[in-house]
Amino acid sequence: MQILIGFLLAILIAVLAWRVGSLSNSGAWAAVLTGGLVFGLGGLPWAILLLTFFITSSALSRAFSKRKVSLAEKFSKGGRRDWGQVLANGALGAMLAIGYFIPPHREWLWLAFAGAMAAVNADTWSTELGVLSLIPPRLITTGQKVERGTSGGITFIGTLAAFGGAVLIGIAAVIFTAGREWPLSLGIIILGGLMGSLFDSLLGATVQAIYWCPTCNKETERHPTHTCGSPTSRVRGWSWFNNDMVNFACSLMGAIVTAGLWLLLS
Ligand SMILES: [Zn+2]
């Protein structure tokens, strides 16, 4: 019964998100699959965390859209999330929900899920709000000043936004993990979220595939063609390591840090 309700809820939300333009066709199908598994197998606490991430990040993507227009081409994809982006943020959560569903409903899998959601939420918040920074970002590796929207660039506002995104998931999670250990849960979820988000920036500055448009003389994540139509060529990073894989790695780092600390300290 819970599984049926979970999938119905996922279909309802995917259709709504598709109609307002937050999801593409393929993104809506991927959202039904991952959302249905998370809602149906994890139940209410898992649903609340996924929805907190989905609703706040969709809203932030649409906010300040005028100021973001000039930056939009830098990112590999626009506001409509496709299946790759949905799975990058949600596939790990769906796998953890499957694991948790199998008795004895291991507590560390719930913490891993909360850490993964905190990481993708922190990363989305920092990306969406970091571009509003008036001070240009600095590369996480060398501290060199880079153009706004450059992969691996971090700002004070973006880092603060990452912290806020992780805190919100942490608070939503501890409402459902009441008991003596809630301060520990809250702390390690926030830490997992921040570490995941920083790991995302580190990968963006080092191994993520970054391309060059010879017509616009600009770095871009877009491949094989730029928004202007010119073919792009790789300037750094591993060719197979695209933005979706970076986001998946971000969620994995959040899950490992939070669940690892939980197993160590609880
Ligand atoms: Zn171009």
Side-chain angles (χ1 to χ4, degrees):
M1 192 62 189
Q2 183 181 299
I3 295 170
L4 183 69
I5 294 170
F7 273 93
L8 288 175
L9 181 65
I11 290 168
L12 178 75
I13 290 161
V15 168
L16 284 175
W18 173 77
R19 287 197 57 172
V20 299
S22 292
L23 292 172
S24 70
N25 290 352
S26 75
W29 282 109
V32 167
L33 180 68
T34 53
L37 287 170
V38 168
F39 300 161
L41 301 181
L44 189 64
W46 293 60
I48 299 279
L49 291 204
L50 185 59
L51 287 174
T52 302
F53 160 65
F54 187 72
I55 293 167
T56 63
S57 59
S58 300
L60 284 179
S61 299
R62 304 171 77 80
F64 319 107
S65 51
K66 266 190 189 152
R67 288 202 53 185
K68 285 179 196 157
V69 164
S70 61
L71 293 158
E73 66 82 28
K74 272 223 141 193
F75 297 109
S76 59
K77 288 158 183 170
R80 258 176 197 275
R81 283 155 214 267
D82 65 12
W83 69 270
Q85 283 168 297
V86 171
L87 292 186
N89 290 316
L92 180 65
M95 287 188 269
L96 291 168
I98 294 169
Y100 183 78
F101 187 66
I102 302 163
H105 309 303
R106 292 167 185 85
E107 186 76 354
W108 69 267
L109 287 169
W110 158 246
L111 271 301
F113 175 70
M117 285 295 111
V120 293
N121 204 47
D123 181 52
T124 309
W125 282 35
S126 74
T127 304
E128 300 293 350
L129 293 171
V131 294
L132 302 175
S133 175
L134 296 172
I135 303 157
R138 287 176 180 275
L139 218 52
I140 192 172
T141 43
T142 60
Q144 178 199 339
K145 276 188 186 164
V146 286
E147 247 187 281
R148 258 176 217 98
T150 303
S151 299
I154 57 168
T155 59
F156 176 72
I157 288 181
T159 310
L160 203 64
F163 182 73
V167 167
L168 183 67
I169 293 290
I171 290 171
V174 294
I175 291 170
F176 298 99
T177 30
R180 287 176 299 114
E181 285 178 323
W182 75 263
L184 172 67
S185 303
L186 182 62
I188 61 176
I189 292 167
I190 294 170
L191 197 62
L194 279 176
M195 295 302 284
S197 170
L198 287 176
F199 187 52
D200 187 289
S201 299
L202 184 64
L203 293 173
T206 53
V207 293
Q208 182 182 353
I210 304 294
Y211 302 89
W212 181 258
C213 173
T215 310
C216 308
N217 269 325
K218 264 184 178 174
E219 270 192 10
T220 175
E221 290 178 352
R222 288 186 187 252
H223 186 72
T225 53
H226 193 216
T227 38
C228 66
S230 297
T232 57
S233 55
R234 187 163 53 94
V235 283
R236 58 188 168 92
W238 299 329
S239 57
W240 54 273
F241 206 73
N242 64 21
N243 194 49
D244 291 341
M245 289 185 197
V246 172
N247 283 334
F248 182 80
C250 164
S251 73
L252 190 62
M253 177 58 102
I256 290 171
V257 168
T258 302
L261 287 174
W262 174 258
L263 292 170
L264 223 80
L265 302 173
S266 78

